[in-house]
Amino acid sequence: MSIIEFIFIGMVAVILPLISMLSYRNMKPKLLQQHNPMRMLLYKQAFMVHGVLLISVLLMAYIRGLELADLGFQVRLDGPFWLALVSLLLLPAYYVYKYYRIEQDNNYQQAQVRKLQFMPGVEIAPHTTPELKVFLLLSLSAGFCEEIFFRAYVIYYFSNWFELPAVLIISALLFGFAHGVQGLKGMLYTGIAGLLLAVVYLYTQSLLLPVVLHVLINMTSGFWVWRLNNPKN
């Protein structure tokens, strides 16, 4: 079973991202356009990938005889949970402050618009209101399905082979590489985010907060790009 699981993880975290990176090269210039139906198509494809990923992980876990609790499907309202929760509230507070700044300060808004071109993955973030609505739903899907795979399943699998520090690094590297379409800078950022999410998962022994944090990161970044592409002033 270990060989099959290793191949499964390799396909999801290495082979599929490589294929995506190769095919994405020709798409990227077109995706930078404000109105491009390819973004919505990519969102729909991502929904399908998440669905297949979730079913595959649950099937692998069932064959292995794992309980749902082994994959983090539990809530432990203890000290670590509340400490992590309070820490995670800093993210939405930071973005609320940024949103307030762009509403009140036109110069700040223009400066943030100029920075958009340097933001990893900006071309696949929502540019129009219909795209934003779908992207917010996709954020929920990604937060749930990717956390089950990269945090719960990958960490469980590699914990049978390596010590915890190595497992954290492997999980973060795979998570970063899976977002290779965002370029080297994007892989670095998502790798760091993956390491943080893994620490939160192991600290709380639950997927709840990593899923919430993952969803918040996706939603706030997507909403940020949409807002800057649709200025009110």
Side-chain angles (χ1 to χ4, degrees), residues 85-102 108 212-213 216-217 220-221 224:
L85 177 61
V86 171
S87 300
L88 296 185
L89 290 177
L90 295 175
L91 176 69
Y94 170 69
Y95 271 97
V96 167
Y97 167 73
K98 293 185 71 172
Y99 295 147
Y100 175 79
R101 284 284 307 274
I102 65 173
Y108 179 76
V212 171
L213 179 57
L216 282 175
I217 291 174
T220 51
S221 60
W224 181 249

Side-chain angles (χ1 to χ4, degrees), residues 1-9 60:
M1 184 62 186
S2 295
I3 297 299
I4 296 176
E5 289 177 306
F6 183 79
I7 294 174
F8 170 58
I9 292 173
M60 288 287 189

Side-chain angles (χ1 to χ4, degrees), residues 63-79:
I63 295 174
R64 250 211 183 256
L66 300 179
E67 301 290 337
L68 289 178
D70 296 323
L71 296 176
F73 284 84
Q74 59 182 345
V75 179
R76 301 172 61 177
L77 302 179
D78 50 13

Side-chain angles (χ1 to χ4, degrees), residues 118-129:
F118 304 109
M119 181 178 177
V122 65
E123 64 278 355
I124 54 177
H127 286 53
T128 66
T129 300

Side-chain angles (χ1 to χ4, degrees), residues 1-190:
M1 184 62 186
S2 295
I3 297 299
I4 296 176
E5 289 177 306
F6 183 79
I7 294 174
F8 170 58
I9 292 173
M11 285 291 297
V12 173
V14 180
I15 303 301
L16 289 180
L18 276 175
I19 295 174
S20 298
M21 281 186 271
L22 292 174
S23 60
Y24 190 72
R25 290 180 179 179
N26 296 327
M27 294 184 194
K28 188 172 181 177
K30 299 177 182 178
L31 287 170
L32 289 171
Q33 301 171 9
Q34 178 76 356
H35 299 281
N36 192 311
M38 293 178 66
R39 264 192 303 274
M40 197 70 83
L41 177 61
L42 289 175
Y43 295 165
K44 293 177 181 179
Q45 290 176 346
F47 274 120
M48 291 188 289
V49 170
H50 292 157
V52 172
L53 180 61
L54 177 61
I55 293 173
S56 301
V57 169
L58 294 179
L59 179 60
M60 288 287 189
Y62 175 78
I63 295 174
R64 250 211 183 256
L66 300 179
E67 301 290 337
L68 289 178
D70 296 323
L71 296 176
F73 284 84
Q74 59 182 345
V75 179
R76 301 172 61 177
L77 302 179
D78 50 13
F81 173 86
W82 294 112
L83 179 60
L85 177 61
V86 171
S87 300
L88 296 185
L89 290 177
L90 295 175
L91 176 69
Y94 170 69
Y95 271 97
V96 167
Y97 167 73
K98 293 185 71 172
Y99 295 147
Y100 175 79
R101 284 284 307 274
I102 65 173
E103 295 292 340
Q104 302 297 321
D105 189 340
N106 189 57
N107 291 331
Y108 179 76
Q109 175 177 296
Q110 294 303 316
Q112 296 303 309
V113 170
R114 289 192 294 270
K115 290 180 181 180
L116 270 184
Q117 59 182 312
F118 304 109
M119 181 178 177
V122 65
E123 64 278 355
I124 54 177
H127 286 53
T128 66
T129 300
E131 289 175 356
L132 176 65
K133 293 176 181 179
V134 177
F135 186 86
L136 293 178
L137 293 175
L138 182 60
S139 297
L140 292 171
S141 173
F144 184 68
C145 298
E146 290 181 11
E147 287 307 304
I148 290 176
F149 178 75
F150 285 103
R151 247 56 69 189
Y153 188 75
V154 168
I155 288 178
Y156 177 86
Y157 175 79
F158 284 105
S159 293
N160 296 313
W161 301 87
F162 302 102
E163 297 295 329
L164 184 57
V167 173
L168 288 173
I169 294 174
I170 292 172
S171 173
L173 289 175
L174 291 178
F175 186 64
F177 190 78
H179 294 78
V181 295
Q182 298 182 20
L184 291 176
K185 190 176 180 180
M187 286 192 286
L188 176 62
Y189 286 170
T190 52

Side-chain angles (χ1 to χ4, degrees), residues 183-226:
L184 291 176
K185 190 176 180 180
M187 286 192 286
L188 176 62
Y189 286 170
T190 52
I192 294 173
L195 182 61
L196 172 63
L197 291 167
V199 170
V200 173
Y201 169 64
L202 292 173
Y203 185 62
T204 62
Q205 294 296 301
S206 169
L207 275 178
L208 177 59
L209 290 185
V211 168
V212 171
L213 179 57
H214 195 149
V215 170
L216 282 175
I217 291 174
N218 287 353
M219 284 186 170
T220 51
S221 60
F223 187 86
W224 181 249
V225 173
W226 170 82

